[in-house]
Amino acid sequence: MTRYDERTGGAGSAVTVRGLVKHYGETKALDGVDLDVAEGTVMGVLGPNGAGKTTLVRILSTLLAPTSGHATVAGYDVVRRPRQLRRVIGLTGQYASVDEKLPGWENLYMIGRLLDLPRKEARRRADELLERFSLTDAAKRPASTYSGGMRRRLDLAASMIGRPEVLFLDEPTTGLDPRTRNEVWDEVTRMVGEGVTVLLTTQYMEEAERLASELTVVDRGKVIATGGIEQLKAKVGGRTLRVRPADPGQLRPLAAALDGLGVTGLATTTVDAEGGAVLVPVLSDEQLTAVVGAVTARGITLNALTTELPSLDEVFLSLTGHRAGVPEDAPSAGTRDDREEVAV
């Protein structure tokens, strides 16, 4: 049972999209997109530049009309009931949309009044959100004097004035420094804990892993994969064995021995000299067993043998054919932290 049941006739999802299409002349920005976002979760939408992510957000937030298809957000049809929908959603785009001539407090108060909050409530919400986003000391300063990170926090605060049920974040941390990025992530996590549903578009793999409970990958206007992070990693397949001998002098001989196994599908091994390990890509349990057998047969003592699932960046690469377009100041894209100790 969800808060949307009365509006949807029991469908229940915070966001439901079926067959959504958007044409720009001969170009199909969206080509039959289906999507479901459960209440109180974060859906991460990944895709290369031009995949249709921002077009999807603009349609779901009533800024753009679809060519065809159907979508509901918080129980409201995006085409038939846009006014009601706008009262229960928040939107933060890739660039701060506040009025830079107004002080931070007046920006928030103005938005509250535009949402028909009583004056007293609009003042209270402005004060509350400035404190929540660590902007109280800058409340009376024009937004034009804010740093990029401060403007982004003010923009996020503005999207929260009306206590949205569903929040759309379209690449919200683009261009932010790592500290501010983490502050935004912490705030999103807190909002979800309070029951807000979030649809997040991002090209930062670390951001997706940190925030999203489910992922949808779009490319050329189509959904090409959906599921939990671990599901997508398992779907791509493949593991890497990290074999760490007790004697670092055994690295090269061990690599040569494993590379010469001749197991079908076994890719070339590599040596991580800094980490003191040999990395062996394997595609099956049989190949894993063959590697362990080769180590045992040569009497090499190991400190550790771990298996690592593909990183999310590798999943993205496998699904779309290229890596995410991450700016140079972005955090490292996906790390191999899904490890399982293997007894040897």
Side-chain angles (χ1 to χ4, degrees):
M1 186 76 175
T2 74
R3 73 179 85 179
Y4 312 122
D5 284 345
E6 290 185 3
R7 303 174 194 165
T8 62
S13 293
V15 179
T16 302
V17 178
R18 294 291 180 268
L20 206 62
V21 174
K22 179 61 181 179
H23 292 175
Y24 292 104
E26 297 296 319
T27 303
K28 281 189 177 181
L30 297 178
D31 190 10
V33 168
D34 293 334
L35 184 69
D36 289 285
V37 184
E39 180 183 1
T41 66
V42 179
M43 170 64 79
V45 180
L46 307 179
N49 290 328
K53 304 186 300 296
T54 296
T55 297
L56 176 63
V57 168
R58 289 176 64 82
I59 289 174
L60 295 180
S61 57
T62 76
L63 297 177
L64 195 63
T67 302
S68 62
H70 178 261
T72 60
V73 176
Y76 295 116
D77 187 290
V78 299
V79 174
R80 296 177 181 175
R81 306 186 71 184
R83 288 189 177 181
Q84 295 91 330
L85 174 56
R86 289 170 192 148
R87 293 182 178 276
V88 296
I89 63 173
L91 170 65
T92 296
Q94 298 177 31
Y95 306 99
S97 58
V98 296
D99 188 329
E100 296 201 347
K101 294 182 180 179
L102 293 179
W105 187 90
E106 289 190 25
N107 263 288
L108 299 186
Y109 176 76
M110 176 185 68
I111 292 171
R113 293 295 291 146
L114 289 173
L115 291 172
D116 291 335
L117 294 183
R119 287 185 175 85
K120 184 177 180 180
E121 174 67 6
R123 293 191 192 99
R124 191 186 67 79
R125 284 294 286 164
D127 291 338
E128 177 184 286
L129 288 166
L130 285 170
E131 181 177 359
R132 184 166 175 174
F133 285 90
S134 303
L135 293 170
T136 301
D137 291 343
K140 296 182 180 180
R141 285 168 41 194
S144 60
T145 68
Y146 286 16
S147 67
M150 292 171 68
R151 282 196 294 270
R152 171 57 69 213
R153 296 203 304 274
L154 182 62
D155 202 37
L156 192 56
S159 71
M160 295 296 296
I161 282 286
R163 301 184 186 277
E165 298 176 16
V166 178
L167 180 62
F168 296 105
L169 301 178
D170 188 15
E171 301 193 17
T173 61
T174 296
L176 297 186
D177 61 86
R179 178 180 176 181
T180 305
R181 185 176 291 122
N182 275 283
E183 290 175 352
V184 171
W185 291 348
D186 289 343
E187 190 56 41
V188 172
T189 299
R190 179 161 62 175
M191 288 186 287
V192 174
E194 295 172 353
V196 177
T197 302
V198 176
L199 189 145
L200 165 75
T201 76
T202 183
Q203 291 194 48
Y204 293 137
M205 299 299 104
E206 184 182 353
E207 184 164 81
E209 293 219 54
R210 171 80 174 268
L211 297 177
S213 48
E214 294 281 322
L215 294 176
T216 293
V217 183
V218 296
D219 194 14
R220 299 180 183 179
K222 293 178 177 288
V223 173
I224 59 175
T226 188
I229 292 174
E230 298 307 315
Q231 287 178 306
L232 292 182
K233 288 181 177 181
K235 182 176 181 179
V236 168
R239 289 169 289 175
T240 296
L241 291 181
R242 179 176 288 270
V243 186
R244 188 152 57 92
D247 178 6
Q250 293 281 356
L251 279 175
R252 299 294 175 183
L254 177 59
L258 297 180
D259 201 27
L261 279 179
V263 179
T264 301
L266 191 62
T268 303
T269 59
T270 58
V271 175
D272 176 10
E274 184 176 346
V278 177
L279 307 182
V280 190
V282 296
L283 297 175
S284 67
D285 290 340
E286 290 75 14
Q287 291 174 0
L288 187 155
T289 302
V291 170
V292 173
V295 172
T296 303
R298 285 161 178 77
I300 298 174
T301 302
L302 301 181
N303 274 345
L305 176 64
T306 60
T307 62
E308 304 172 352
L309 289 173
S311 70
L312 192 55
D313 192 51
E314 290 168 328
V315 171
F316 187 92
L317 173 64
S318 174
L319 292 172
T320 66
H322 50 82
R323 296 190 181 279
V326 181
E328 291 182 357
D329 69 331
S332 175
T335 57
R336 288 184 176 276
D337 56 2
D338 303 285
R339 301 180 180 181
E340 176 186 355
E341 291 287 341
V342 179
V344 295

